[in-house]
Structures are given as structure tokens and as C-alpha cells.
Amino acid sequence: RKEVEQDPGPFNVPEGATVAFNCTYSNSASQSFFWYRQDCRKEPKLLMSVYSSGNEDGRFTAQLNRASQYISLLIRDSKLSDSATYLCVVSWGKLQFGAGTQVVVTP
Amino acid sequence: DTAVSQTPKYLVTQMGNDKSIKCEQNLGHDTMYWYKQDSKKFLKIMFSYNNKELIINETVPNRFSPKSPDKAHLNLHINSLELGDSAVYFCASSASGTMREQYFGPGTRLTVT
């Protein structure tokens, strides 16, 4: 089993719709969690950290479920500019990136 | 102002050559990283330095040698380049330790022919 797993997608989402996807991790000692977005041929950019109580940043909501060992990202009111690959990152001292979930927002 | 910069942006070279990629950050961070992203887009950590000391050294061929002259710079030297080294190499930095948010450079696209 991979240490950090993501559904590769693509998730094809109509503009204005909501999309959500998860990232599972295997190490129960994981302490830090992040979501990054990566556009084609660009560097990963931090989207948001994920806190135990869950957190929201505009149209983006991140949740952490320690019992089931996954984090989630929900995007509301999707925009065309949200089309990207979303990478989850889990750290237990060692950093591990997921392979990414591709989201394609269509007009 | 560029926070994390890398040079060169593109590098095309022949097998067997030796090349270097440079990275600089002006964020005042203590920790810097090198990542490799292959054609399948999987981002894999190679090395991490904290205050010029190596703290992470993943299973990477010893043809790859990082060097950190100071905490704002982390360079990557690659000897005897192989076809399989073709990838995008990203430098990143974070405040102290590996549990913090990371900021990435624009990447160096290495093509070995």
C-alpha cells in the first residue's frame, strides 16, 4: 500500500458545481497535512494547511479524519481557473506527496 | 520579488555529462529541499537540508550530490547523467523542519539525450 494515496481522476466538474475528493495516508503518526495545487508545467503551490478541526478558505474546505486516516478537499462553486492537479501532502517528520487528483472544470 | 528561484529553467544535455542546478530562496527559511517529478507526475523528495545540514537523503543514486553553501542556497550536482534522469527538478524551502508549508521554485526541466 502506498503511504499517501489519491484518486488520480480526472474529476470533470461543470462550472459552478461542487467537487470533493479524498487523500488517504497509512502512517497514524502523521502530524501535518496540506493541500497543494499544481497547474500544468508549473510548480506546486500551497493551497491550504489542514487543521484537526477542519478549515475553510473561501470556496475551499479541508477536513481531517484521523480515525479513518484521510483528508479531504471540497471546492464549492467551481471556477474554470480551479482546473489543476491537487496534491495532498502528509508529514510524520518525513514528507510524502500524493500523486495528485486532476480536476477539470468545464464551461 | 522571486521567493524561490532556480537556474537554469531548461537543461538539455547528453548522457554521461555532469551538470548542476542552482537554487536560492529569499524567504529566510532554514530548510530547503530537492524534489524530482517524473513523466508520471509523481513528486518525490530527494534531499532536505536544515541550516546547511543534510537531514533527509532518500534512496537516490550517489551520482546526485547536493551542496548547501549557506542556508539560502541549495545546489544539486549530477554526475554521469543517464536517460532516466530526465525529469523536472523542483527546489523548495520551508521554515524550520519538515512539518511546515513549503514554497517551490519554478522547476528545472532536465532532458538527457
Side-chain angles (χ1 to χ4, degrees):
Chain A
R1 183 185 171 186
K2 290 181 185 172
E3 292 174 302
V4 178
E5 289 198 77
Q6 294 184 251
D7 183 337
F11 284 63
N12 293 300
V13 185
E15 200 174 0
T18 296
V19 61
F21 40 89
N22 295 338
C23 163
T24 59
Y25 60 93
S26 61
N27 191 323
S28 59
S30 299
Q31 296 179 41
S32 298
F33 308 87
F34 308 94
W35 282 105
Y36 284 72
R37 72 170 278 166
Q38 186 173 23
D39 295 293
C40 189
R41 301 178 77 85
K42 296 284 191 181
E43 73 272 24
K45 291 186 177 174
L46 180 68
L47 181 65
M48 58 198 300
S49 302
V50 185
Y51 303 122
S52 296
S53 54
N55 47 300
E56 192 174 301
D57 183 0
R59 298 180 293 107
F60 297 83
T61 301
Q63 297 277 358
L64 166 63
N65 186 317
R66 282 194 185 274
S68 300
Q69 295 186 195
Y70 72 88
I71 62 173
S72 64
L73 182 67
L74 182 146
I75 308 173
R76 281 186 302 278
D77 187 23
S78 298
K79 311 289 184 195
L80 295 176
S81 58
D82 294 334
S83 296
T85 297
Y86 291 84
L87 307 170
C88 75
V89 181
V90 179
S91 179
W92 51 89
K94 173 183 174 181
L95 280 156
Q96 194 72 35
F97 275 74
T101 294
Q102 187 183 6
V103 172
V104 179
V105 182
T106 54
Chain B
D1 284 345
T2 305
V4 183
S5 60
Q6 293 178 231
T7 54
K9 193 165 182 181
Y10 298 96
L11 187 52
V12 181
T13 189
Q14 291 183 324
M15 280 176 57
N17 285 348
D18 302 338
K19 291 292 177 187
S20 291
I21 308 172
K22 295 187 175 183
C23 177
E24 177 181 0
Q25 55 94 4
N26 63 7
L27 297 167
H29 287 164
D30 294 325
T31 308
M32 295 185 72
Y33 311 80
W34 276 111
Y35 287 88
K36 178 180 180 181
Q37 189 168 44
D38 59 26
S39 56
K40 294 182 180 176
K41 309 297 183 189
F42 188 64
L43 197 64
K44 191 169 181 183
I45 191 166
M46 301 172 69
F47 302 103
S48 176
Y49 271 73
N50 187 54
N51 275 322
K52 302 195 299 174
E53 273 194 46
L54 183 65
I55 57 170
I56 293 175
N57 184 354
E58 292 295 305
T59 308
V60 176
N62 57 15
R63 298 181 295 103
F64 290 78
S65 52
K67 283 195 170 50
S68 182
D70 56 61
K71 71 176 192 178
H73 296 84
L74 180 61
N75 304 323
L76 184 66
H77 189 74
I78 315 170
N79 289 328
S80 303
L81 278 154
E82 299 177 357
L83 293 176
D85 297 333
S86 296
V88 181
Y89 292 84
F90 288 103
C91 175
S93 73
S94 68
S96 291
T98 57
M99 309 287 272
R100 305 289 297 270
E101 305 85 44
Q102 295 182 39
Y103 297 85
F104 284 78
T108 296
R109 187 170 295 273
L110 171 65
T111 304
V112 182
T113 62

